Amino acid sequence: MTNLEKYINAFTTTFGIGESEVEGLEYQQIKAWDSIGHMSLVSAIEDAFGIMMDTDDIIDFSSFEKGKDILKKYDVEIESV
Amino acid sequence: MTGKVCFITGSNRGIGRAMVEAFARGGASIIAHARKKNDAFDAEMRSLAETYGVSITPVYFDMTDTEAMKAVFKAFYQNKTRIDILINNAGVAHGGLFSMTPVSKIKEVFEINLFSAMELTQLVLKIMTRQRSGCIINLGSIAGLDLKPGNSAYGVSKAALMAWTRTLASEVAQHGIRVNAIAPGLTDTGMAAQMEEKAGREMVESSAMKRLAKPEEIAKAALFLASDDASFINGQVIRVDGGSA
């Protein structure tokens, strides 16, 4: 599984949405991505990449795209779609 | 407690040390935190582990050193270490009239008694939420409930810790995590010995039982709160002070 596939998988399994819906997705844009869902998403991403995100990064993680930038700090490079 | 893993901060003396013994006797594995590495403490923990047939792992970091704290937890995550019970026990005492207490001192007390416990709890919650279970016990104080003169630093920091206990409990219950606090009366520890004699005497006099608490009595309350017998107790502050006179 590529990093992109792992990343997309974290969103689809956490929020119960299809792969076509993740691109451009933003925090609180859908009902499932509320504050509780956000913490579940962070757990899924931490587990997928074996990292521990700082609280500041958890707060800044405001969209599907922004998350890719943040993961670079943890040496996780997400390939372009 | 058999099979449970309990993380206790400030476990090298006083109430924390009594907690280690109580939980080990109950069959829990312990992660025993202290600020500085200490061979005598290591040896003591090995001896206790042998006595009770449990695992006791000392870990060392300054509670105000976020990076050192995170380094310990990175290892926990990598090793998939369980934490079933967190006891936020580490703390410092300070007494003095408000006008004679520099705000820098109040900040220092809050840093250890509240903010570092919050920081640690955020890291532990990453583990507990994945487990979908856990129990957090914060060590408050009756000083934070009664708020008598001289408690602008210690008492107010403990009041904040106990208030936070209630709001955290309401947030994490959905993940199967309970959060409670114990508010001990004056307890027979090194911290009590640092108190001004008059203030200590007044605290003992205000207790219906007219004596200091023993550290083991506080530890037993924690043991109860961490047990399945307390499975529906959540967001509470339990006074363990011998009753009010």
Side-chain angles (χ1 to χ4, degrees):
Chain A
M1 201 183 256
T2 66
N3 282 350
L4 177 62
E5 286 167 336
K6 287 185 198 172
Y7 186 62
I8 291 173
N9 192 48
F11 281 78
T12 56
T13 54
T14 302
F15 299 142
I17 57 175
E19 284 184 23
S20 61
E21 296 172 81
V22 298
E23 196 70 30
L25 192 64
E26 294 185 357
Y27 178 55
Q28 295 195 331
Q29 189 183 328
I30 57 173
K31 199 177 171 190
W33 197 354
D34 59 4
S35 59
I36 306 292
H38 189 63
M39 294 314 295
S40 300
L41 174 66
V42 168
S43 293
I45 288 170
E46 286 181 334
D47 287 346
F49 298 108
I51 58 169
M52 183 176 87
M53 289 173 65
D54 290 336
T55 305
D56 288 345
D57 291 328
I58 293 172
I59 295 162
D60 288 345
F61 199 120
S62 56
S63 69
F64 180 80
E65 293 304 324
K66 180 73 179 173
K68 290 181 185 176
D69 284 341
I70 288 171
L71 287 177
K72 286 180 189 164
K73 285 174 60 177
Y74 299 90
D75 298 325
V76 176
E77 199 69 43
I78 307 290
E79 308 84 355
S80 300
V81 180
Chain B
M1 286 295 133
T2 305
K4 298 245 173 110
V5 180
C6 180
F7 188 114
I8 304 170
T9 66
S11 60
N12 54 328
R13 60 189 172 188
I15 292 172
R17 173 64 180 75
M19 298 262 191
V20 172
E21 181 128 19
F23 279 80
R25 190 185 299 117
S29 295
I30 316 277
I31 300 168
H33 160 266
R35 188 160 63 91
K36 282 186 181 169
K37 181 156 177 58
N38 179 326
D39 290 341
F41 179 67
D42 281 343
E44 194 184 349
M45 292 299 106
R46 274 197 302 274
S47 167
L48 268 185
E50 275 177 31
T51 302
Y52 296 112
V54 297
S55 153
I56 302 181
T57 309
V59 293
Y60 297 98
F61 55 86
D62 186 321
M63 286 294 288
T64 61
D65 184 345
T66 304
E67 291 311 311
M69 187 189 285
K70 281 182 183 169
V72 167
F73 275 81
K74 271 183 184 156
F76 286 169
Y77 300 149
Q78 280 161 4
N79 300 331
K80 302 212 176 302
T81 302
R82 278 190 73 85
I83 298 180
D84 300 292
I85 301 151
L86 166 65
I87 301 180
N88 280 314
N89 168 70
V92 291
H94 184 273
L97 293 177
F98 177 62
S99 297
M100 295 172 68
T101 307
V103 172
S104 60
K105 173 54 78 175
I106 298 174
K107 285 181 179 174
E108 186 187 312
V109 171
F110 265 74
E111 191 61 46
I112 296 168
N113 291 358
L114 179 66
F115 300 133
S116 65
M118 287 177 153
E119 190 112 49
L120 181 78
T121 301
Q122 282 187 336
L123 297 172
V124 170
L125 281 174
K126 283 176 185 277
I127 294 173
M128 288 183 171
T129 51
R130 283 168 173 80
Q131 292 169 180
R132 308 267 330 148
S133 69
C135 171
I136 298 170
I137 299 169
N138 293 325
L139 257 291
S141 168
I142 61 164
L145 295 172
D146 300 343
L147 293 163
K148 293 189 173 162
N151 267 308
S152 291
Y154 180 75
V156 175
S157 74
K158 290 294 186 180
L161 183 76
M162 292 184 285
W164 169 58
T165 297
R166 294 168 59 196
T167 186
L168 181 62
S170 68
E171 280 186 27
V172 298
Q174 64 187 313
H175 300 297
I177 301 164
R178 293 184 298 112
V179 190
N180 291 291
I182 295 171
L186 192 60
T187 306
D188 191 6
T189 64
M191 201 182 267
Q194 289 171 22
M195 254 184 120
E196 200 177 87
E197 196 187 331
K198 181 171 170 258
R201 208 169 45 239
E202 280 174 6
M203 275 189 86
V204 170
E205 280 305 308
S206 69
S207 163
M209 296 183 76
K210 307 288 180 211
R211 66 170 175 84
L212 300 175
K214 296 174 193 161
E216 305 80 50
E217 290 171 318
I218 311 304
K220 282 176 185 170
L223 204 54
F224 166 68
L225 283 175
S227 74
D228 290 341
D229 291 338
S231 56
F232 207 50
I233 299 177
N234 192 27
Q236 301 303 306
V237 177
I238 313 284
R239 288 182 81 112
V240 185
D241 65 347
S244 301

